[in-house]
Amino acid sequence: AQRVTQPEKLLSVFKGAPVELKCNYSYSGSPELFWYVQYSRQRLQLLLRHISRESIKGFTADLNKGETSFHLKKPFAQEEDSAMYYCALRHSGAGSYQLTFGKGTKLSVIP
Amino acid sequence: DAEITQSPRHKITETGRQVTLACHQTWNHNNMFWYRQDLGHGLRLIHYSYGVQDTNKGEVSDGYSVSRSNTEDLPLTLESAASSQTSVYFCASSETRDNSPLHFGNGTRLTVT
């Protein structure tokens, strides 16, 4: 069965420090991975998807199939990065596509 | 601008009552989803629909039902509310089934007393 693991419930870093939010997955098929973010008092929104290989708000994430990981990284944290981050895996079967989310990591950037 | 709206934003109900949470989207998306968000569990899929008259069970569907009579709406019904269903509920929609992003509503905070 598919699973997404975010080992840290809470991650606190100082402004300007590097950030790495960990995400590991288990899935027997070809994975499609996403990062969603929820800022305070805002709705959940897509941050990154691995197929795009893009950098959004300074964040990047590389899919490592060998380590089954999709860690989210940013070289210099900013206060506005404080939010709840969810890693998600899209999986399919019998024509059905679903997103399985991790439990989330709350990032707190200390001024 | 297209959007997805949920109502009510907050709801308090008693155990055993039937409750319906509304979700309305103007994206004209065929795919709609209901999730619940709980501390320690993240987001879990309750039900989803790929189009009118199509509904499917998700990971935590027991005690919930949905109906899809048109493209815009996917109401979520709790047949007999239980305290374990106290949660924040999110509705979402997407353009395609594969890798298009989910557009989320603002959520409904439901408390069952």
Side-chain angles (χ1 to χ4, degrees):
Chain A
Q2 61 286 337
R3 181 179 295 176
V4 177
T5 302
Q6 294 179 251
E8 302 135 331
K9 287 185 180 179
L10 174 65
L11 181 64
S12 296
V13 301
F14 285 101
K15 178 182 174 181
V19 176
E20 183 178 49
L21 298 165
K22 291 183 167 45
C23 172
N24 289 90
Y25 67 91
S26 63
Y27 180 51
S28 57
S30 182
E32 296 179 55
L33 286 145
F34 306 79
W35 277 99
Y36 280 80
V37 60
Q38 187 176 28
Y39 300 103
S40 179
R41 302 186 187 281
Q42 294 187 28
R43 61 186 69 197
L44 203 63
Q45 58 188 287
L46 177 69
L47 179 64
L48 283 178
R49 43 185 149 177
H50 89 269
I51 59 169
S52 301
R53 301 184 66 81
E54 57 199 344
S55 173
I56 302 292
K57 299 184 179 183
F59 284 98
T60 58
D62 291 319
L63 178 60
N64 186 323
K65 290 186 178 181
E67 296 183 357
T68 60
S69 68
F70 188 57
H71 303 327
L72 184 67
K73 300 177 183 179
K74 184 170 183 176
F76 308 104
Q78 299 173 338
E79 289 180 63
E80 54 265 34
D81 296 329
S82 294
M84 193 74 179
Y85 291 80
Y86 291 96
C87 183
L89 166 71
R90 188 182 297 279
H91 51 94
S92 61
S96 164
Y97 293 83
Q98 296 179 30
L99 268 187
T100 292
F101 287 83
K103 294 181 180 181
T105 298
K106 184 174 182 179
L107 174 65
S108 177
V109 180
I110 305 165
Chain B
D1 287 344
E3 62 177 356
I4 179 165
T5 54
Q6 294 183 235
S7 61
R9 291 297 308 274
H10 303 273
K11 174 77 176 178
I12 300 174
T13 191
E14 295 177 344
T15 301
R17 290 194 180 267
Q18 184 182 80
V19 177
T20 296
L21 309 182
C23 175
H24 179 81
Q25 53 99 2
T26 57
W27 292 95
N28 200 34
H29 288 163
N30 282 325
N31 311 306
M32 295 184 74
F33 308 82
W34 273 104
Y35 289 87
R36 60 179 288 177
Q37 183 185 43
D38 303 286
L39 271 176
H41 291 281
L43 286 156
R44 292 180 292 174
L45 183 64
I46 306 171
H47 281 287
Y48 59 101
S49 168
Y50 287 147
V52 176
Q53 303 301 331
D54 176 76
T55 60
N56 305 279
K57 293 181 178 180
E59 178 188 357
V60 289
S61 61
D62 287 349
Y64 303 94
S65 63
V66 293
S67 60
R68 189 85 181 272
S69 58
N70 58 52
T71 300
E72 296 80 17
D73 299 289
L74 186 70
L76 177 71
T77 297
L78 286 68
E79 303 294 343
S80 177
S83 57
S84 60
Q85 294 177 307
T86 293
S87 185
V88 180
Y89 291 86
F90 287 99
C91 181
S93 71
S94 69
E95 183 177 5
T96 62
R97 292 191 191 188
D98 46 17
N99 61 12
S100 61
L102 291 181
H103 297 266
F104 281 88
N106 272 324
T108 294
R109 184 176 294 275
L110 176 68
T111 302
V112 182
T113 61

